[in-house]
């Protein structure tokens, strides 16, 4: 090793010590040491815990102020309350103190009164928050203390109790904070709802009856604490708090209807199956529509990942981007204390740090059961300890590909949605495109004098419509003084049927202006939906005409496959007659030319050409050779896989129509079309290059 390497390894060892101090920092929910939120030390003579660390907000309570001032229970009784100092009086002071603290200090309340099932069996145990649970509760408490509605989407790894923490927190709000708060919990399936019901049964059974009442309020030790409501078997009531707990499942949508509910917990949302009549978004809407946007209301979605493009994934991304009511939260596997493998001694730790550092730029692996040095170094940069990475290497040997490991133990929220090791496009490469995605500037349709035929291209215009399916990010640009050749390119992917599960038709507009200056083309507009093939062809022609008579490329496979009566040739011939040379035709072989065979319209995607365009798209995504605007396209990239036979397709239940327009478009854009040229219309002087032409695409 050289001196610089020695210094770097020394820094790693010291940093690791600091990280481990944070991971294993003292936490005692009873004393309050290391607990969540801002804490202040409070020493009270005569109290069972002489010094405790209470939430700073508690100091606003007059009783706590007085107790802090005099410093002892006896002094409070004698000097403040003016009562004789008796054991009964001391007990009442302690009780009042606890009553105040459990309202401000959730970890304390949970560790004192909330029993849960012991993992691995045995007697029930009091709920003591682990490290990721503390992180979760801290986020919820920040919203509550700010007087905001609590709205959270939790993307979780397995086996750290995120769902349990949310449910116990909701129970705390119901049992401690306000009478009449009703809760609704929707599980993935029946077994999940049974577990939730069991958890409430355990907690309420062991919960002190007196805590359900106010101090001095009469009660019977034998009064019921949880009673069934109605005959459904899924609604229960805590009479003392006048609150209800309803438990439903996504499998039975009717059990998930909301009502007078304030707190809603939606569990394993990504696993909810989408079928006719019970889409996840429909169930969520039914459950949550009546909840007001005010303090002491809560809606929490939580789930392990289950691919991309589904409801949970979309909602998580919206929360992450700050465009929804919700906050996004993710817990990495290395934030969970249990995932670490200690070293035998300091020498082994030092050697491990050395290997980690020296291999940080290596992409080589000896087997498919290990990770490259670059990935392991990224884990370190993300905050994992050496012991955690040591554990990861050991655990990784159980899996034959990274995707399987990442789905169980994701290191970030991008990786969490990894679905398969057969994915064509890298998650990291795809996610770099998301920053440029945004809502369209315009939404509507392009119209002509007619929907088809010669008049379809007369009076071409764009009309804003709220329900329009043409999304425009960069509108067409025209100038009376100059014209740009080969600027716009329009690509069409034809839909295959009209069923809900069928692929959509997609019309993509690329703006190539910036290619003059060596910059990438940009997605300018997109039409997306289900439509008959003949109507689609004419719709695409109108959009191409609107975009300055752009080159129109129609993917012809579906047209030709369904060409039982020659409709495809007829349609494309009609369009060619009207639109002229701007309709894309395939390159002819020398033999076809010699035989005088007619040119064929459209881009034909066969096994060979599909491999070419997908490979080129992979390069384009890796090298960022275009600018994307539609985030839904990125979801298609992340669910596109290579089959066992070497072909390419969308995962079951997903689509690739947007993907294919990009793949074909970028192939033609870079390999078949000439660079755009600026033509001065006043003196007809061609400009082969530009000095940074400013356009909507440039500034967008």
């Amino acid at each position: 090793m050289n001196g610089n390497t020695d210094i770097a390894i020394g820094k790693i060892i010291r940093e690791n010590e600091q990280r481990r101090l944070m991971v294993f920092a003292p936490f005692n929910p009873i004393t309050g040491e290391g607990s969540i939120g801002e804490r202040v030390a409070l020493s009270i003579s005569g109290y069972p815990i002489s010094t405790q660390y209470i939430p700073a907000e508690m100091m606003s309570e007059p009783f706590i102020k007085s107790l802090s001032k005099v410093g002892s229970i006896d002094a409070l009784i004698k000097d403040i309350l003016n009562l004789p100092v008796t054991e009964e009086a001391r007990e009442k002071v302690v009780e009042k103190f606890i009553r105040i603290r459990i309202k401000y200090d959730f970890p304390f309340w949970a560790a004192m009164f909330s029993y849960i099932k012991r993992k691995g069996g045995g007697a029930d145990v009091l709920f003591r928050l682990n490290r990721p649970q503390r992180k979760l509760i801290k986020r919820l408490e920040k919203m509550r203390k700010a007087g905001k509605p609590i709205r959270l989407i939790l993307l979780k790894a397995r086996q750290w109790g995120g769902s349990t923490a949310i449910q116990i927190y909701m129970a705390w709000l119901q049992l401690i904070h306000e009478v009449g708060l009703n809760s609704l919990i929707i599980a993935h399936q029946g077994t999940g709802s049974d577990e939730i019901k069991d958890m409430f049964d355990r907690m309420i059974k062991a919960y002190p009856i007196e805590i359900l009442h106010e101090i001095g309020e009469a009660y019977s030790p034998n009064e019921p604490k949880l009673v069934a409501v109605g005959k459904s078997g899924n609604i229960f009531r805590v009479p003392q708090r006048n609150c209800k707990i309803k438990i439903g499942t996504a499998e039975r949508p009717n059990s998930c209807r909301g009502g007078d509910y304030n707190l809603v917990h939606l569990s394993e949302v990504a696993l909810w199956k989408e079928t006719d009549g019970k889409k996840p978004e429909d169930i969520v809407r039914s459950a949550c529509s009546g909840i007001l946007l005010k303090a002491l209301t809560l809606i929490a979605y939580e789930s392990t990942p289950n691919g991309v493009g589904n409801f949970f994934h979309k909602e998580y991304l919206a929360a992450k981007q700050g465009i929804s009511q919700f906050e996004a939260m993710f817990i990495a596997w290395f934030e969970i204390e249990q995932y670490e493998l200690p070293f035998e001694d300091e020498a082994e730790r030092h050697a491990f740090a050395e290997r980690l550092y020296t291999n940080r730029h290596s992409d080589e692996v000896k087997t498919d059961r290990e990770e490259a040095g670059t990935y392991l170094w990224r884990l370190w940069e993300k905050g994992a300890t050496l012991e955690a990475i040591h554990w990861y290497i050991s655990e990784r040997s159980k899996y034959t590909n990274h995707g399987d490991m990442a789905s169980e133990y994701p290191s970030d929220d991008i990786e969490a949605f990894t679905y398969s090791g057969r994915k064509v496009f890298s998650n990291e490469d795809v996610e770099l495109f998301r920053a440029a995605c945004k809502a369209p500037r315009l939404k509507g349709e392009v119209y002509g004098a007619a929907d088809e035929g010669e008049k379809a291209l007369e009076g071409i215009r764009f009309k804003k419509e709220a329900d329009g399916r043409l999304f425009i990010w960069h509108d067409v640009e025209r100038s009376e003084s100059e014209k740009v050749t080969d600027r716009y390119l329009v690509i069409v992917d034809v839909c295959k049927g009209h069923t809900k599960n069928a692929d959509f038709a997609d019309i993509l507009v690329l703006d190539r202006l910036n290619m003059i200056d060596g910059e990438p083309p940009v997605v300018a507009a997109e039409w997306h939906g289900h439509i008959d093939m003949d109507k689609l062809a004419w719709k695409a022609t109108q959009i191409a005409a609107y975009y300055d008579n752009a080159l129109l490329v129609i993917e012809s496979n579906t047209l030709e496959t369904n060409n039982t009566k020659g409709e495809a040739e007829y349609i494309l011939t009609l369009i060619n007659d009207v639109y002229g040379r701007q309709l894309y035709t395939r390159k002819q072989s020398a033999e076809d030319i010699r035989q005088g065979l007619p040119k064929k319209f459209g881009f034909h995607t066969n096994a060979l050409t599909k491999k070419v365009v997908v490979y080129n798209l992979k390069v384009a995504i890796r090298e960022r050779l275009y600018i994307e605007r539609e985030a839904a396209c990125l979801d298609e990239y992340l669910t596109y896989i290579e089959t066992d036979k070497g072909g390419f397709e969308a995962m079951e239940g997903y689509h690739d129509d947007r993907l294919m327009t990009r793949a074909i478009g970028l192939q033609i854009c870079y390999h078949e079309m000439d660079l755009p040229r600026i033509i001065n219309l006043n003196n007809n002087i061609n400009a082969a290059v530009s000095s940074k032409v400013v356009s909507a695409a440039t500034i967008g």
Side-chain angles (χ1 to χ4, degrees), residues 308-309 313 317 320-321 414-415 417-418 423-437 617-641 659:
V308 301
H313 179 244
L317 289 180
K320 185 179 179 181
Q321 295 164 8
I414 296 172
E415 194 173 68
F417 288 108
T418 297
K423 289 171 58 176
V424 174
F425 308 108
S426 157
N427 276 44
E428 290 79 5
D429 291 342
V430 171
E431 289 299 327
L432 290 174
F433 281 78
R434 202 171 296 277
C437 295
L617 179 60
K618 187 173 183 178
V619 173
I621 291 172
R622 186 184 69 223
E623 304 297 331
R624 305 195 69 185
L625 297 182
Y626 86 106
I627 297 172
E628 185 57 71
R629 295 303 190 201
E630 176 55 76
C633 179
L634 306 186
D635 297 336
E636 292 190 7
Y637 291 160
L638 294 171
T639 53
Y640 201 62
I641 61 173
L659 181 152

Side-chain angles (χ1 to χ4, degrees), residues 160-196:
W160 63 268
S163 179
T164 299
I166 291 173
Q167 289 178 188
I168 299 295
Y169 183 81
M170 286 170 52
W172 179 60
L173 297 178
Q174 290 178 289
L175 302 183
I176 297 297
H177 273 269
E178 189 168 306
V179 172
L181 289 180
N182 298 322
S183 65
L184 170 64
I185 302 104
I186 303 176
H188 165 44
Q189 53 191 6
T191 54
S193 66
D194 292 341
E195 290 175 359
I196 293 167

Side-chain angles (χ1 to χ4, degrees), residues 497-509:
H498 283 275
T499 65
K500 289 184 177 180
N501 295 323
D503 271 342
F504 293 85
D506 193 74
I507 305 171
L508 176 71
V509 183

Side-chain angles (χ1 to χ4, degrees), residues 53-124:
Y53 302 88
I54 64 173
E57 297 85 4
M58 274 183 67
M59 296 303 298
S60 63
E61 293 279 349
F63 181 84
I64 304 299
K65 284 183 180 179
S66 298
L67 190 55
S68 175
K69 183 178 180 180
V70 297
S72 82
I73 291 178
D74 288 359
L76 179 76
I77 298 170
K78 181 181 177 182
D79 300 333
I80 304 297
L81 302 178
N82 296 314
L83 295 172
V85 178
T86 64
E87 194 60 35
E88 182 183 3
R90 292 189 181 109
E91 289 176 357
K92 289 186 179 296
V93 169
V94 171
E95 181 185 5
K96 186 167 183 176
F97 181 89
I98 291 173
R99 291 273 193 160
I100 294 173
R101 187 173 172 187
I102 60 177
K103 187 175 181 179
Y104 286 89
D105 197 341
F106 171 79
F108 174 77
W109 172 84
M112 287 284 290
F113 303 113
S114 184
Y115 279 89
I116 61 171
K117 182 180 180 181
R118 181 193 293 271
K119 196 172 183 179
D124 292 350

Side-chain angles (χ1 to χ4, degrees), residues 327-462:
E327 292 186 13
M329 185 175 184
F330 169 76
I331 301 292
W333 65 264
F334 52 79
E335 296 181 89
I336 305 171
E337 316 92 305
Q338 69 193 56
Y339 297 136
E340 73 154 20
L341 181 61
F343 299 102
E344 291 186 3
D345 50 37
E346 191 59 38
E348 186 184 16
R349 180 184 289 107
H350 191 279
F352 184 87
E354 182 182 345
R355 288 196 302 274
L356 184 71
Y357 180 75
T358 55
N359 292 319
R360 68 192 186 281
H361 299 307
S362 174
D363 290 319
E364 297 182 2
V365 293
K366 296 178 181 178
T367 73
D368 60 2
R369 293 177 179 267
E370 61 184 58
E371 297 292 350
T374 52
Y375 182 81
L376 297 177
W377 183 252
R378 282 204 298 274
L379 292 179
W380 171 258
E381 291 182 319
K382 289 175 181 178
T385 65
L386 295 177
E387 286 76 7
I389 300 172
H390 193 204
W391 172 89
Y392 185 92
I393 292 171
S394 175
E395 186 71 14
R396 176 67 172 84
S397 65
K398 292 165 53 177
Y399 301 89
T400 57
N401 64 71
H402 174 77
D404 290 342
M405 179 73 178
S407 64
E408 295 288 330
Y409 305 103
S411 61
D412 56 38
D413 55 0
I414 296 172
E415 194 173 68
F417 288 108
T418 297
Y419 194 88
S420 168
R422 299 180 297 158
K423 289 171 58 176
V424 174
F425 308 108
S426 157
N427 276 44
E428 290 79 5
D429 291 342
V430 171
E431 289 299 327
L432 290 174
F433 281 78
R434 202 171 296 277
C437 295
K438 57 186 179 181
R441 294 177 178 176
L442 300 169
K443 186 188 295 185
E445 296 286 352
V446 170
Y447 294 101
D451 293 334
E452 60 185 52
E454 292 185 5
K455 291 188 176 181
L457 302 186
E458 294 180 7
I460 288 291
R461 67 199 185 277
F462 172 78

